[in-house]
Amino acid sequence: MCINKDEISTPSAGNTPTVRSTDQEKVRKIFRWYINQSDVKIYTTGLVEHPAWEEEFWEAPLSEILKQPYGTWPVKQEIKNKIKKFIDSHPLEDTMRHLTLGCIFGALSEAKEYLSTDDFSRMFRLALDRINFCYNPYIISKAKLLELFKCCNLQKFMTAEEWKSWEELQRQPSETETVYRGYVEAENAVVWTNNRRAVTGDSDRFGETYDSVGYKAEIHKKDIIAVIHGRCETSLIFHYKMYVLDPDKLQNIEPVYLNELCNWDYPDVDDWDYPDVDDWDEWAE
């Protein structure tokens, strides 16, 4: 069961101990169930796909498969067996990397009962990395996403550098942080950033224009669940921080035009989050 915590956004939330060990067989059984529930798709080119598995298989063309007795098509079961063999012979994290986005959070939600807190935290991070921390209500609801964070050891969910940033943020004297968000409704945005240039960069990457509307808001630092280090690629490449938070706890939300957040013609160099590195070419890669 999930760790009982009244608040998920307190410094102690990242120090939740592991209270159970991982039952790998039961977790694999859940993964296999997702494979059994979907039928394999066969295309005329010989391409075979499984709706729950991020991998393509090339078999005989459909014209050859159709020559087999109706209803048998052993290739379908062969593909399912290949996937199940992979699940049984590889680490759980490898299976998480292969599940499709439509299944990954459902499988993880069911498997959390049989995962240690630390293992769940690492696998939850893998799932969010798969969607690049871009919240999508068609993949997982906001309420479900925030509920899964309650089951995390946040220190295991974040990298060592991110955990350090989170601790430094909590030690700062100010009680609130100004955050920004673009191209999505503020009430549904679980991930925000403290860097206004990152908002314009991401919106450009997603096809928005600088006349589009983004959001600016305030959040109490105690309500910031996690800090994630991001990377933005526009005319320049720079790193920035993303804050995972409950949007219901945002204050003073106001719409802002993206072109007002950042003047790209005359950028203020001091506003960039340049890391302290010696080799800039290596950092840019």
Side-chain angles (χ1 to χ4, degrees):
M1 88 180 92
C2 294
I3 305 303
N4 292 323
K5 297 191 292 287
D6 294 332
E7 297 289 341
I8 59 178
S9 52
T10 61
S12 62
N15 298 317
T16 303
T18 298
V19 296
R20 60 184 180 275
S21 58
T22 295
D23 189 329
Q24 295 206 16
E25 179 50 38
K26 287 186 177 179
V27 175
R28 289 191 170 100
K29 184 177 180 180
I30 291 172
F31 292 159
R32 289 195 298 267
W33 182 88
Y34 273 84
I35 301 304
N36 285 330
Q37 292 307 300
S38 300
D39 198 10
V40 171
K41 295 181 180 180
I42 304 176
Y43 300 90
T44 56
T45 57
L47 172 65
V48 182
E49 290 183 328
H50 192 289
W53 199 252
E54 290 281 5
E55 185 176 353
E56 296 178 344
F57 302 90
W58 289 91
E59 303 293 334
L62 182 59
S63 58
E64 295 297 320
I65 295 174
L66 288 173
K67 294 178 182 178
Q68 302 175 26
Y70 177 78
T72 58
W73 291 7
V75 65
K76 288 191 173 185
Q77 191 57 46
E78 288 172 7
I79 295 302
K80 284 189 175 182
N81 289 338
K82 286 182 181 180
I83 296 174
K84 291 176 185 177
K85 184 176 180 180
F86 182 97
I87 292 173
D88 291 338
S89 60
H90 286 72
L92 299 177
E93 289 83 357
D94 288 349
T95 297
M96 287 291 293
R97 293 185 179 94
H98 280 77
L99 290 176
T100 58
L101 297 182
C103 297
I104 192 169
F105 286 102
L108 184 59
S109 297
E110 295 182 38
K112 73 178 185 294
E113 303 291 339
Y114 308 107
L115 289 165
S116 71
T117 308
D118 289 356
D119 285 346
F120 170 80
S121 303
R122 285 187 285 265
M123 293 179 71
F124 185 37
R125 175 61 184 263
L126 283 175
L128 288 174
D129 282 341
R130 288 279 306 282
I131 62 173
N132 197 29
F133 280 87
C134 294
Y135 165 70
N136 187 332
Y138 296 102
I139 296 176
I140 184 172
S141 69
K142 178 181 69 175
K144 188 64 177 180
L145 184 63
L146 293 172
E147 178 187 332
L148 292 178
F149 269 105
K150 294 181 181 180
C151 303
C152 272
N153 178 344
L154 295 179
Q155 191 168 3
K156 297 298 182 181
F157 175 85
M158 291 180 267
T159 66
E161 293 78 13
E162 291 167 348
W163 177 251
K164 181 179 178 181
S165 296
W166 188 84
E167 288 187 311
E168 291 174 350
L169 175 69
Q170 299 301 325
R171 287 196 295 265
Q172 292 175 4
S174 60
E175 294 184 358
T176 62
E177 186 84 354
T178 301
V179 291
Y180 304 90
R181 181 74 204 206
Y183 71 84
V184 72
E185 298 85 354
E187 62 270 17
N188 290 325
V190 178
V191 179
W192 292 61
T193 179
N194 68 331
N195 191 310
R196 55 196 174 94
R197 297 188 189 277
V199 176
T200 54
D202 271 347
S203 296
D204 183 40
R205 182 162 57 93
F206 281 86
E208 299 290 333
T209 67
Y210 295 150
D211 290 331
S212 298
V213 175
Y215 295 95
K216 176 182 178 182
E218 300 291 325
I219 184 76
H220 280 282
K221 291 190 301 183
K222 65 180 181 63
D223 293 326
I224 295 175
I225 301 170
V227 174
I228 306 299
H229 290 175
R231 186 173 188 265
C232 185
E233 298 184 18
T234 53
S235 56
L236 291 174
I237 301 174
F238 63 98
H239 289 188
Y240 61 98
K241 296 182 179 68
M242 297 185 290
Y243 296 150
V244 179
L245 50 84
D246 182 348
D248 293 338
K249 296 183 178 181
L250 289 167
Q251 299 177 350
N252 303 324
I253 302 175
E254 59 179 285
V256 290
Y257 284 107
L258 298 182
N259 57 8
E260 294 178 357
L261 290 180
C262 177
N263 185 343
W264 287 95
D265 294 329
Y266 303 98
D268 180 4
V269 175
D270 293 337
D271 191 48
W272 292 88
D273 284 341
Y274 286 130
D276 183 16
V277 293
D278 296 327
D279 190 340
W280 284 94
D281 292 333
E282 179 181 348
W283 170 75
E285 295 175 357

